[in-house]
């Protein structure tokens, strides 16, 4: 019993109350995330659109998301977290209902475009809120718990959406809109505005200037390099919703079997994600990200040899382990690479990599599969995973030095208190004492321990 209580304290203890309201909002929103799960089926079976027309609609959702995450990031920093999130959620709920009622193809396409824009505009504000309210030493746990809520809600939504669809597809849009509104009310009333003024202290050389946001981001090669690595990782990861069902169909497996196999991803995350922070505590963050890329590459690479449901299930379990290692480390690193007054825009640019991958993964995967074959596609995923692992190991020290520089640059100025000078003997001893060596990590800040950070 004491062991369980100790584990609960280490996993969820000591986090701010406002974080738990954000966590609850995530869970509520994901529990109602029906539309995206069933959108392709709704468009082709209920609305009798062709596969190409359905692809166009879903692609426009992604285009809207790319615009939304960019605009949302800017508004998060300039306008504030709360008004940006409230406007985005109100717009998303409205467009959710409009999309459910739309009939002509052009109306459905415009609805999907605007829905993607509003829905994704909320993400930078939400991410910035977590960074604002959670102390740096607890962010790994906080992002892991939020990621757990996302997957728990999504796994339940897939089941609930199937039940709701039997009563009519319009119910999916109504419930999704309702949970979006509930989430907005919870966050706006219980969390409030979290943006704080930045420190007026001197800026450390080599850190981004607080003005000229676009110029700052475009000139931040360390951050953009990390975004590029995430883009390639996302191109591999998103094959599980584009090319994996096609590969399983070629093996004679039904769509229901694909649903059961892919559900293993959510189940493993829900069961195992709560233990991940303890597993990677004190580990070099670049090593964790490198291992995550390698494991994901192996998992997707083995898909080339899969020909039965159990084998496909095994590959899903393997790349899910890599996903579980990648997500919390990714989130904490982005938080530390973002200057305090540009957090929203940095979150937006990072989210843009996912939107680009969402549009590019099915296109690139389909082209490779069509012209070079199924085996080549999954072998390429394995190769990209290996290259990403090496890239994380090489770039890790530079990223950690930048993160440490930003922490010092934006740290509040501590007033100087007059103290008695040390005795001559003590001063002499301090002058000749050797400096303690650095720990054997990428840099002094390259560990991700949550208890001693």
């Amino acid at each position: 019993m004491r062991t369980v209580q100790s584990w609960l304290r280490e996993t969820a203890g000591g986090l701010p109350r406002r974080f738990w309201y954000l966590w609850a909002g995530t869970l509520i929103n994901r529990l109602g995330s029906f539309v995206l799960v069933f959108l392709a089926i709704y468009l082709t079976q209920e609305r009798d659109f062709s596969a190409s027309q359905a692809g166009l609609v879903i692609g426009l959702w992604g285009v809207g998301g790319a615009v939304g995450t960019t605009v949302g990031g800017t508004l998060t920093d300039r306008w504030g977290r709360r008004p940006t999130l409230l406007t985005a959620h109100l717009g998303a709920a409205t467009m959710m209902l409009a999309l459910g009622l739309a009939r002509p193809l052009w109306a459905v396409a415009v609805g999907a475009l605007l829905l993607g824009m509003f829905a994704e505009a909320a993400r930078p504000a939400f991410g910035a809120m977590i960074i604002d309210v959670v102390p740096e030493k607890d962010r790994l746990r906080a992002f892991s718990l939020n990621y757990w809520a996302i997957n728990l809600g999504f796994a339940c939504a897939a089941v609930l959406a199937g039940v709701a669809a039997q009563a009519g597809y319009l119910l999916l849009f109504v419930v999704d809109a309702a949970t979006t509104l509930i989430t907005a009310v919870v966050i706006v009333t219980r969390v409030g505005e979290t943006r704080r003024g930045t420190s007026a202290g001197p800026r450390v050389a080599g850190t981004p200037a607080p003005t000229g946001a676009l110029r700052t981001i475009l000139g931040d090669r360390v951050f953009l390099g990390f975004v590029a690595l995430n883009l390639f990782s996302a191109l591999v990861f998103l094959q599980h919703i584009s090319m994996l069902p096609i590969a399983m169909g070629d093996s004679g497996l039904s769509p229901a079997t694909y649903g059961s196999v892919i559900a293993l991803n959510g189940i493993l995350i829900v069961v195992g994600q709560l233990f991940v922070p303890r597993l990677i505590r004190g580990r070099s963050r670049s090593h964790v990200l490198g291992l995550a890329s390698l494991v994901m590459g192996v998992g997707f690479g083995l898909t080339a040899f899969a020909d039965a449901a159990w084998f496909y299930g095994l590959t899903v379990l393997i790349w899910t382990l890599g996903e579980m290692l990648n997500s919390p480390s990714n989130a904490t690193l982005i938080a530390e690479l973002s200057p305090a007054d540009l957090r929203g825009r940095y979150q937006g640019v990072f989210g843009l990599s996912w939107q680009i991958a969402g549009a590019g993964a099915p296109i690139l995967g389909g082209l490779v599969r069509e012209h070079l074959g199924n085996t080549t596609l999954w072998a390429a995923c394995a190769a990209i995973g290996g290259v990403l692992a090496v890239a994380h190991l090489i770039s890790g020290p530079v990223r950690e030095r930048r993160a440490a520089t930003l922490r010092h640059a934006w740290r509040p100025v501590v007033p100087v208190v007059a103290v008695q000078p040390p005795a001559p003997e003590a001063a002499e001893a301090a002058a000749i004492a050797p400096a303690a060596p650095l720990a054997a990590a990428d840099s002094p800040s390259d560990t991700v321990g949550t208890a001693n950070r």
Side-chain angles (χ1 to χ4, degrees), residues 46 100 152 190 193 219 250 260-261 274 278 286 301 323 343 376:
E46 179 72 8
L152 175 61
R190 308 307 301 179
E193 180 57 65
D250 289 346
S260 300
V261 167
L274 295 177
R278 188 171 185 176
S286 60
E323 179 190 358
R343 281 174 180 166
T376 302

Side-chain angles (χ1 to χ4, degrees), residues 427-439:
E428 181 179 350
I432 63 175
L438 293 177

Side-chain angles (χ1 to χ4, degrees), residues 13-376:
L15 291 171
R17 178 178 298 179
R18 289 198 291 178
F19 164 76
W20 288 112
Y21 286 120
L22 291 169
W23 183 90
T26 295
L27 183 59
I28 294 170
N29 198 18
R30 292 292 175 166
L31 283 171
S33 58
F34 293 166
V35 171
L36 189 56
V37 178
F38 275 77
L39 184 58
I41 298 175
Y42 166 74
L43 294 173
T44 55
Q45 296 185 6
E46 179 72 8
R47 301 303 315 282
D48 295 324
F49 290 158
S50 66
S52 60
Q53 289 173 329
L56 171 64
V57 171
I58 297 174
L60 287 174
W61 180 309
V63 172
V67 175
T69 192
T70 304
V71 174
T74 301
L75 292 177
T76 295
D77 291 329
R78 290 187 175 180
W79 194 17
R81 281 62 156 145
R82 184 168 67 170
T84 300
L85 189 142
L86 178 60
T87 302
H89 276 342
L90 290 176
T94 302
M95 295 314 305
M96 194 78 68
L97 294 175
L99 182 60
L101 296 172
R103 289 296 175 263
L105 176 60
W106 69 266
V108 173
V110 172
L113 176 71
L114 294 176
L115 177 57
M117 185 180 69
F118 280 113
E120 295 302 322
R123 295 188 185 276
F126 191 90
M129 276 183 159
I130 292 182
I131 299 172
D132 291 341
V133 304
V134 178
E136 180 187 324
K137 65 183 180 64
D138 294 324
R139 285 176 187 159
L140 178 65
R141 291 191 299 141
F143 280 113
S144 295
L145 288 167
N146 191 65
Y147 184 61
W148 183 83
I150 289 173
N151 284 275
L152 175 61
F154 188 80
C156 294
V159 178
L160 295 174
V163 176
Q166 296 178 358
Y169 278 97
L170 182 59
L171 183 60
L172 299 180
F173 293 90
V174 172
V175 173
D176 207 333
T179 55
T180 301
L181 287 177
I182 293 173
T183 300
V185 171
V186 169
I187 294 176
V188 169
T189 59
R190 308 307 301 179
V191 179
E193 180 57 65
T194 63
R195 184 179 61 168
R196 298 183 296 269
T198 57
S199 170
R203 185 166 61 92
V204 176
T207 62
T211 58
L214 180 60
R215 184 171 64 253
T216 297
I217 295 174
L218 293 179
D220 194 341
R221 292 181 294 176
V222 175
F223 171 74
L224 292 180
F226 185 64
V227 171
L229 294 182
N230 185 74
L231 172 61
F232 282 99
S233 179
L235 286 171
V236 172
F237 175 71
L238 292 178
Q239 298 301 323
H240 79 280
I241 58 175
S242 56
M243 294 300 108
L244 180 58
I246 297 177
M248 293 183 65
D250 289 346
S251 297
L253 301 174
S254 68
T257 303
Y258 165 74
S260 300
V261 167
I262 206 64
L264 294 173
N265 170 256
I267 293 171
L268 180 58
I269 290 174
V270 169
V271 173
Q273 190 65 37
L274 295 177
F275 301 93
V276 169
R278 188 171 185 176
L279 176 66
I280 65 178
R281 179 191 305 166
R283 308 290 182 182
S284 164
R285 189 156 44 191
S286 60
H287 292 175
V288 172
L289 289 170
L291 178 61
S293 298
L294 186 62
V295 173
M296 286 180 62
V298 170
F300 280 102
L302 287 175
T303 308
F305 306 100
D307 58 357
W310 71 267
F311 202 153
Y312 282 107
L314 177 62
T315 66
V316 170
L317 292 176
I318 292 173
W319 58 254
T320 298
L321 291 174
E323 179 190 358
M324 292 166 63
L325 292 173
N326 180 79
S327 181
S329 299
N330 242 5
T332 56
L333 186 54
I334 285 297
E336 294 186 28
L337 290 177
S338 306
D341 58 346
L342 297 178
R343 281 174 180 166
R345 275 166 277 200
Y346 269 65
Q347 289 279 327
V349 172
F350 181 72
L352 187 60
S353 66
W354 280 101
Q355 302 303 321
I356 295 173
I363 297 175
L364 294 175
L367 289 174
V368 172
R369 194 176 189 280
E370 180 179 350
H371 295 287
L372 300 176
N374 185 67
T375 301
T376 302

Side-chain angles (χ1 to χ4, degrees), residues 368-413:
V368 172
R369 194 176 189 280
E370 180 179 350
H371 295 287
L372 300 176
N374 185 67
T375 301
T376 302
L377 169 64
W378 303 115
C381 289
I384 292 173
V387 172
L388 288 174
V390 175
H392 277 299
L393 294 178
I394 294 175
S395 60
V398 177
R399 290 196 302 258
E400 297 298 340
R401 285 195 293 270
R402 169 59 60 84
T405 301
L406 282 174
R407 282 197 298 272
H408 291 299
W410 298 99
R411 182 173 295 169
V413 178

